[in-house]
Amino acid sequence: MSVELRLFVCLRDNYGVLLHDSVSGATAAIDAPEAGPVEAALAAAGWRLNDILVTHHHGDHTAGIEPLKARYGCRVVAPAREASRIPLVDIPMREGDSVRVGSLAATVLETPGHTNGHIAYWFKSEAVAFVGDTLFSVGCGRVIEGTPEMMWRSLAKLRDLPEETKIYCGHEYTAANVRFALTVEPENSALRARAEEVSRLCAAGQPTIPTTIGQEKAVNPFLRADVPAVAAAVGLPNAPPAQVFAEIRGRKDRF
Ligand code: ZN
Ligand code: FE
């Protein structure tokens, strides 16, 4: 494998990630919540920044773009549909586009809902995807700009990735997500096992990320809106999955 990854905390609960191609030496930052921690991670690894791969326009994912571009002259790769709301975009991306980081290649998946132009980056050969604020471990992003139907389709698209795909998301929200998920599926044994793992990791000050698609299918209520037992658990047996998803998302918003 020629890919190396570094995960680090930015701001309060955001994650920054560096993706490095050891063949070419190219390095990309996934989102840029703030410049300082990205620069520190680059310095610690001895890497130079070539690209920033932006998932969506929110400030906690973009505030570091200007200082990082000023320092490194890196390319800014970002969703075409949000290019006017993101600083210094060089390469606007749409569904199915590909982007290279050295010898590594990612496919862009449009995943609207949290924001209307949100995208994810899937490095198929490396079996890793960067999903921003669409999918979290045991949770999902708030539906701020889109509709629940749109968000459900976006989550279902990510769910279709191979189960071994490692998922890096934008925030460390897993402990709170687990507490909520247990209100929907208190008897889900995979969820209970994940809950124990998450408390252990959090107590040790360790990240709960990355997760995998296979794991999220088993524990994440937002990916399970089309499981009959989950629909029944929220009082909507036989309802369409998007409606079940909307109900679960609404409950989480009020949790
Ligand atoms: Zn966001
Ligand atoms: Fe965010």
Side-chain angles (χ1 to χ4, degrees):
M1 286 282 263
S2 66
V3 68
E4 287 184 60
L5 294 158
R6 297 282 192 279
L7 178 76
F8 48 94
V9 175
C10 293
L11 303 172
R12 196 167 60 86
D13 53 30
N14 278 78
Y15 276 127
V17 187
L18 294 179
L19 169 133
H20 178 74
D21 171 29
S22 53
V23 173
S24 66
T27 303
I30 315 305
D31 285 331
E34 54 176 343
V38 177
E39 292 170 328
L42 286 163
W47 298 340
R48 202 196 134 72
L49 191 63
N50 300 91
D51 301 288
I52 303 173
L53 308 183
V54 182
T55 61
H56 67 295
H57 69 82
H58 286 160
D60 64 311
H61 298 256
T62 57
I65 292 174
E66 289 178 287
L68 289 169
K69 182 148 176 141
R71 175 160 177 183
Y72 298 98
C74 51
R75 294 189 306 177
V76 178
V77 180
R81 292 167 67 193
E82 297 183 356
S84 63
R85 304 174 77 176
I86 296 169
L88 308 174
V89 174
D90 296 297
I91 309 183
M93 304 296 284
R94 294 184 185 279
E95 174 74 22
D97 284 349
S98 52
V99 58
R100 286 191 159 277
V101 177
S103 67
L104 310 175
T107 302
V108 167
L109 307 171
E110 289 185 342
T111 56
H114 177 68
T115 66
N116 278 341
H118 194 296
I119 61 176
Y121 297 88
W122 176 35
F123 289 80
K124 182 180 179 185
S125 300
E126 287 68 35
V128 57
F130 301 97
V131 301
D133 288 358
T134 299
L135 174 63
F136 296 128
S137 184
V138 202
C140 73
R142 281 179 188 265
V143 182
I144 297 174
E145 295 179 8
T147 64
E149 289 73 14
M150 196 185 275
M151 189 68 161
W152 167 248
R153 281 196 301 275
S154 295
L155 290 167
K157 186 189 281 189
L158 294 174
R159 189 178 64 172
D160 282 344
L161 295 176
E163 295 207 340
E164 66 275 16
T165 309
K166 286 183 289 295
I167 297 297
Y168 286 80
C169 56
H171 293 269
E172 180 59 67
Y173 289 158
T174 315
N177 289 342
V178 163
R179 283 194 293 279
F180 171 73
L182 284 167
T183 69
V184 179
E185 286 194 284
E187 306 302 331
N188 177 331
S189 58
L191 175 58
R192 289 173 150 202
R194 178 66 170 151
E196 281 182 25
E197 180 186 40
V198 167
S199 9
R200 223 172 28 246
L201 288 168
C202 291
Q206 298 290 311
T208 64
I209 303 306
T211 179
T212 64
I213 289 295
Q215 169 159 263
E216 292 308 312
K217 280 182 175 177
V219 302
N220 190 323
F222 299 99
L223 295 188
R224 295 169 56 79
D226 54 359
V227 173
V230 171
V234 297
L236 293 171
N238 308 314
Q243 189 187 338
V244 176
F245 168 80
E247 171 65 23
I248 300 171
R249 186 60 257 182
R251 289 184 183 202
K252 176 66 164 64
D253 290 344
R254 299 185 295 272
F255 183 66

